Amino acid sequence: MTVLVLGGTAEARALASALVAKGVPVVSSLAGRVAEPKLPEGDVRVGGFGGPTGLAAWLTEHGAKSIVDATHPFAERIGASAVEGARSAGVPLLRVQRPGWQAGPGDRWHWVDSLADAAAALPALGRRVFLTSGRQGVAAFRELSQLWFLARFVDAPEEPLPPNFEVLLARGPYDVDSEAELMRAHDVDVLVTKDSGGAMTSAKLAAARGLGLPVVVVRRPRRPAADTVDTVEAAVEWVLAR
Ligand code: NAP
């Protein structure tokens, strides 16, 4: 009867809590990237499965009834692995994916397809960058020695960064006033973000709008097609229906 929830997001934690509350046996899976992750309720396993084959083997061994991919919209490899692994194990899969962010009046957003394209766009947009696109992709910005970066991460990057990077370690949620104050205090003139979606980290966008700053927004990667819902409530219903 076990449900496997591929996690690492607020939605995955909320889903695990809701399923535990309904008495559904749930195992949440984390990649193990974050040193001190916020742990979901219920059972937790940590670390990669070894690709789709390893994931399929895990599903079969544990007699999993269903699998919910509640990973981050930018977690490309596990998203593909979930589709392939579930198919070969014959286990139904649902993806929970929060809607992307939408620009509103007053926003000065520049959409790009990749972190490399974000780096290429930056010199024309500003000099002092608030970089919030994550530790794993920071290498794309290393060569921009003419710019200054305030780079916010959950955990410090493994490789030291060049001297034009100031690292800020923090974890959301954030509020608009403190995001605006942070940007003002560091004379930030451009923001870089992935289109992560959700409320946990959206305050920076409202703060940038209020300050009239341009924002470079990285589009989501395409993940293989899967049945998808955009709320935790819909995912709970889907699990219970099985
Ligand atoms: P990724 O590139 O798609 O995954 C790389 C490998 O890490 C996968 O092939 C898989 O290894 C393992 N993995 C990833 N998520 C896993 C999970 N939930 N449980 C078990 N193994 C997992 O993923 P990523 O972008 O590095 O993200 C890693 C985790 O951080 C994800 O769980 C995601 O939800 C969370 N996260 C990511 C971002 C982001 O911007 N990418 C932001 C916030 C949170 P095997 O092939 O060996 O199975």
Side-chain angles (χ1 to χ4, degrees):
M1 282 297 289
T2 299
V3 179
L4 177 65
V5 176
L6 301 175
T9 58
E11 288 81 358
R13 287 189 295 276
L15 176 60
S17 298
L19 294 177
V20 166
K22 300 217 177 275
V24 177
V26 52
V27 177
S28 294
S29 176
L30 304 178
R33 297 267 190 287
V34 174
E36 289 179 27
K38 293 182 189 167
L39 288 177
E41 287 185 59
D43 291 338
V44 177
R45 66 163 298 289
V46 180
F49 293 93
T53 313
L55 176 57
W58 191 99
L59 292 167
T60 305
E61 258 167 48
H62 293 79
K65 185 87 180 153
S66 57
I67 168 170
V68 181
D69 175 8
T71 57
H72 191 273
F74 280 81
E76 242 181 306
R77 274 160 57 201
I78 192 72
S81 204
V83 171
E84 203 180 322
R87 190 186 299 127
S88 62
V91 171
L93 164 75
L94 181 74
R95 181 181 293 152
V96 189
Q97 184 161 280
R98 56 180 95 141
W101 287 320
Q102 307 275 335
D107 281 325
R108 298 172 56 202
W109 291 11
H110 301 258
W111 287 93
V112 294
D113 285 331
S114 65
L115 291 172
D117 288 354
L122 274 176
L125 293 172
R127 287 280 168 272
R128 296 181 64 84
V129 184
F130 184 22
L131 186 64
T132 65
S133 50
R135 158 177 82 126
Q136 289 186 70
V138 71
F141 302 91
R142 289 185 77 98
E143 304 302 318
L144 292 169
S145 54
Q146 74 277 34
L147 307 184
W148 179 88
F149 290 88
L150 174 65
R152 184 164 67 192
F153 309 114
V154 174
D155 286 319
E158 277 151 26
E159 302 285 316
L161 289 169
N164 57 322
F165 281 73
E166 181 173 329
V167 171
L168 172 64
L169 298 183
R171 186 179 339 216
Y174 306 101
D175 66 72
V176 179
D177 289 347
S178 45
E179 293 288 66
E181 184 46 40
L182 184 67
M183 291 189 225
R184 258 197 306 263
H186 290 87
D187 279 332
V188 162
D189 57 13
V190 59
L191 166 68
V192 178
T193 180
K194 296 181 194 171
D195 178 19
S196 297
M200 294 267 287
T201 58
S202 62
K204 61 191 169 188
L205 300 169
R209 184 187 312 131
L211 296 169
L213 301 186
V215 182
V216 180
V217 186
V218 182
R219 278 193 193 87
R220 294 176 172 191
R222 274 173 210 266
R223 302 205 276 180
D227 285 346
T228 301
V229 295
D230 60 11
T231 65
V232 171
E233 293 71 27
V236 172
E237 273 178 35
W238 181 89
V239 169
L240 294 180
R242 266 143 200 90

